[in-house]
Amino acid sequence: MSGLVGLILVVAVYVIAVLPLLLVFRKADQPGWAALIPIYNIYITLKVVGRPGWWLILFFIPLVSLIIWIIVAYDLARSFGHGAGFTVGLVLLSWIFLLILGLDSSRYLGPAAAGPPVGGPPATTAI
């Protein structure tokens, strides 16, 4: 019986841990269920911020993964219109700042790493 209680507790903690990511994915027009699947949720996060899918491999290299997470956190913050201060929060207190992203009024502006700076001046076109 205690094994079943332990399993239920582990599943409940996991769901609570991925809930903020689920909310962020929904804001970014991605499937919320993707947050529940380990490794695939990193791939979707890379897609949200505009980084190539092969960067997923870099998350499996010690120390490199830390640098890549900082870059992805910066891109994620920019994708929702936030700056470097929010990036620090995402790196140090990921769960809380992902929850803020998922619940606050900030909107997904598009993948920050895919093109020109998000929120910058509009591109000019010749008439």
Side-chain angles (χ1 to χ4, degrees):
M1 187 67 166
S2 65
L4 180 61
V5 172
L7 178 64
I8 292 171
L9 183 62
V10 167
V11 169
V13 168
Y14 182 71
V15 169
I16 290 169
V18 298
L19 178 67
L21 193 57
L22 184 142
L23 296 172
V24 170
F25 283 179
R26 284 189 177 169
K27 265 191 173 180
D29 294 327
Q30 296 296 323
W33 59 263
L36 300 172
I37 302 172
I39 301 173
Y40 184 63
N41 61 19
I42 299 170
Y43 175 77
I44 296 298
T45 303
L46 290 171
K47 187 175 171 183
V48 166
V49 301
R51 295 292 176 176
W54 65 264
W55 272 37
L56 181 63
I57 296 166
L58 299 174
F59 276 95
F60 294 101
I61 303 171
L63 297 178
V64 173
S65 62
L66 177 63
I67 295 166
I68 295 302
W69 168 239
I70 292 169
I71 294 168
V72 170
Y74 177 67
D75 290 340
L76 186 62
R78 286 183 49 227
S79 294
F80 283 89
H82 297 283
F86 203 86
T87 301
V88 172
L90 279 170
V91 171
L92 298 178
L93 300 168
S94 299
W95 190 85
I96 293 169
F97 278 78
L98 283 172
L99 190 60
I100 291 169
L101 269 185
L103 295 176
D104 77 350
S105 62
S106 62
R107 292 183 354 202
Y108 178 64
L109 304 174
V118 176
T124 58
T125 57
I127 297 178

